[in-house]
Structures are given as structure tokens and as C-alpha cells.
Amino acid sequence: MKKLKIYNTLTKKIEEINPLKDKQITLYTCGPTVYDYTHLGHIRTYINNDILKRTLEYLGYKVIHTMNITDVGHLTDDADSGEDKLEKGAKKHKKTVWEVAQYFTDYFFYTIDEVNIKKPNIICKATEHIQQMINLIKKLEEKGYTYETSQAVYFNVTKFKNYGKLSGQSLKDKLTAVREEVVLDPEKKHPADFALWFKRTGRFANHTMHWNSPWGDGFPGWHIECSAMSMHYLGETIDIHTGGEDHIPVHHENEIAQSESATGKLFVRYWLHNAFLLIEGEKMSKSKQNFYTIDDIKAKGFSPLALRLHFLSGHYRQQFNFTFKALQATENSFKSLQKKIEELKFLNKYLRLEKPKEKNYRLAKEFEQKFIDCLTEDLNTPQALAEFWRFIAREDIHPLVKLKQILKLDQILGLKLDTIKTVNITAELKKLIREREELKKKRNFQKADEIRNIINQKGFELKDTKQGTVVLSKN
Ligand code: AMP
Ligand code: ZN
């Protein structure tokens, strides 16, 4: 079995993935905080995760993929300060927190479906797993990793000796980074300590979402949900955990601290992080109003699958600078790819072709190997695509072999090339094509062109190939 190699943020090395259980991979992805529209940055990160999953499936693994939906507890600042994002979203969109969560959860699933991202096997909402979180906090409390103030229950980071192992940041560095925190809760011992449970008091006295707990009425902190749900669905140690690179220094560091303190076991074996997306050279920000959604992309006339192809042209560990100009170029290549598939389907369906020679299968297999080698080397999608385009452009591969091979690898690329339909040839159309061919044989090109025009007017295009005349839809 061929192995996938990826860059593991934990070890800072490219490593071969060897799962805990043979042929099975447990994968956890930090899901969206559902207080606003899913934007291009999210889409890019989740497309890359989808390629990871599809590559593993191609290699023969059964992937058990879990994703959370953060519908409570995520403050505007990852390190416990600021407003609750859901409450903020509710105000902005004039909905209740519950409505806002449902609305943007739906929008998230609509978006990922548009770009053909496979739905995770297990999708879990934070609000539906409060008990699992409480149990985990209790376990940490029993083991002496927590302390309580009048505002919250905190994880004491100084008790976890490996704190900072993911980001490589020492507690001293953290101290300067999060100093402001002390002001919000004067009883907090270390500024990097993070809340496991917020009490419904002080700045959160009117918090809408709240539950009973051993520490009183309140709501969970953001980080605890991923540890609790990951362990609940996938076990105490999982194979791969993914997220955007913004999660490394706080969220994932905290996930590690609380999980490993509770179980005494390694939480995640391979950490994979996606680099951020820039829009026209700029960071996404409110002032720039550049949080484009999939509907913005569609409204500008681009297809969601062209966007998918576009994102695959960059490596997941490199920042991607999104521009509409470059998307337009990909949209054009995507259209010609779709036309090529239509042509190949036509050739195979309507024209009598010779049987493919053995050499064709060998060439196709060689291409498949090269394509997969690019992906197994730290998911190098730009190089895999370069191989893909090269294979498509080859004139010496039999249409049947070519089509089959492309569709097989599209199981990984996810461009839905299998859904492209070839035209339906009516008896009338067949007659016209035959007439035109006869005229061409007689070198009566003027008349032949007249027939071509008639066919064009009926909404079709003709393409003369070495295997014969191909009819394509005109769009
Ligand atoms: P959030 O809803 O902000 O918690 O983000 C959900 C996922 O999208 C996380 O893995 C983030 O790291 C990722 N993400 C957010 N913004 C961007 C961006 N601009 N580029 C790439 N990934 C992003
Ligand atoms: Zn998470």
C-alpha cells in the first residue's frame, strides 16, 4: 500500500502517515463558527482537507471524518477576551443566537456542497455535547489541572509541562502576547490560562445560551469542545487533526493541553495546518469588505467547481493570493476541460473506435503513478494538476483509456467530470452530419459549411477529430 507523507506541525517534519489501525484513519477537522457567512478562506481550507481525505481513500484507507460546528463559546478573540461570536452574529443579523447558528450552519453545508466537498461522516454541534465537555472538565479538575475564579473555571497551563509544543512558543512568549487578559479577570493566575467554563456573571450575565454545571450556570469555553467531541467520537488518540494555521498558537495548543492532561496519552499523531488566503494581496478584513461568499462568486459568473480547481493550483502550506483575474483564467481552463470530457464521451459513445492497444494502458498507468506521487508527497496539488493537464493534452492516448483514467482521478480532484453529458444525436442531426461528410469527401466545402451553419443554429458545435466528426453542445 502506498503511503501518504505530510508535514506534521507537531514534529516539524514531513512524515509518512502510519495510522493506529491498519487501513483506517481517524480524522478530526475544526469546523466553522457559525455566526456569519462561510467565505473563501474557509472554502480553501476545507477543499484542502477534502483532498487529504480523498487521497487517503484512493490509497485504500477507510477515513472516519469528524467535524464540529461551533455554535457556542467562541469569543471574538481566541484567547478568552471579547464578545461571544454567536451573540455578536445575532445582533448583526437581527436573529436569535439559535437562529443565527442554524442559518449559518445551513449556509456552510450549502457552500461545501457547491464546491463538492464530501460531508464528514460525523458532524457534531457543540451545543449538543455540553455533557461530554462537562465530564472532561470534571476529569481535569479531579487531576488538579484547573482552578475556579468567580468568573470561570480555568485550565492552569503551568501544570502541563509540554505547553507550547505545537507552536514552539514558550510560556514566557505567551505572557507578553496575552497580557490584556489579566484585566478581564483579576483572579486569573497566568495570562495564558484559558477558560474551560464561563460563569453566567459579569460580562456574561445576560448570555443567552447557558447550561447547568458543577460550577454553576454558564457555558463552555471554545477549546474544550474539540477535545471532548474528538475523544467522544474517535477515541483518546486520533491519527490526523486539521485546521487553519491561525489555530496553531492558541486553539490547538489548548486542545493538546487539556486532552493530554486528561488522558495522559498523545492526543493527535499528525497535525496538518492550512496556510491562509489573501484576497487581491490583502488579508480579509471587515474594513476591506472582502469576505466573498460562494454566492458572490456565482453572481460574478464563475462556477463553484472552477473555484475548487483554482484553489487546487496552490499548495496548502503556502498562502494563496486570490484574484478575480486569475480565477477567470481558471474558469476558462475549466470550461475547456469540460468540453474535452464531452468530446471524449462523444467519441466513445457514437464513433466506432479501434480497440485500445496495450501501450495506452501502460501510459495511462504511468500518468496515474506520477499524479499520485505528487499527492503523496505532502499533497502537492499544483504538481498533480500539471501532470493532469499534460495527460489530457496527449494526442497518442486512446479516447476510451483517456476518459476512464481522467474520471478515475477526478474521484480525488472532485470536479464532477462524470456528470458532464454528451449531446443526444437525433436522426435528423445524424443525417446532416452524414451529408456534410459526403460533401467534404467530394471537396464541396462551401455546401459542407452551409450544413455546419445549420447545425450551429440548432445549438451544436462540430469538431473534426482524427476519429471523425464530434458534436458538442454550444455553451
Ligand atoms: P472559523 O469559522 O473562523 O473558526 O474558521 C473555520 C476554519 O477556516 C478554520 O480552520 C480556520 O483556520 C479557517 N479559516 C478562517 N479564515 C481563513 C482564511 N482567511 N484562510 C484560510 N483558512 C481560514
Ligand atoms: Zn477545534
Side-chain angles (χ1 to χ4, degrees), residues 2 45 95 427:
K2 213 174 160 56
T45 286
K95 292 179 193 289

Side-chain angles (χ1 to χ4, degrees), residues 28 30-31 68 222 226 241 247 251-252 255:
Y28 186 92
C30 286
N68 62 304
W222 171 39
C226 288
H241 190 125
H247 285 348
H251 184 51
H252 289 165
E255 280 187 33

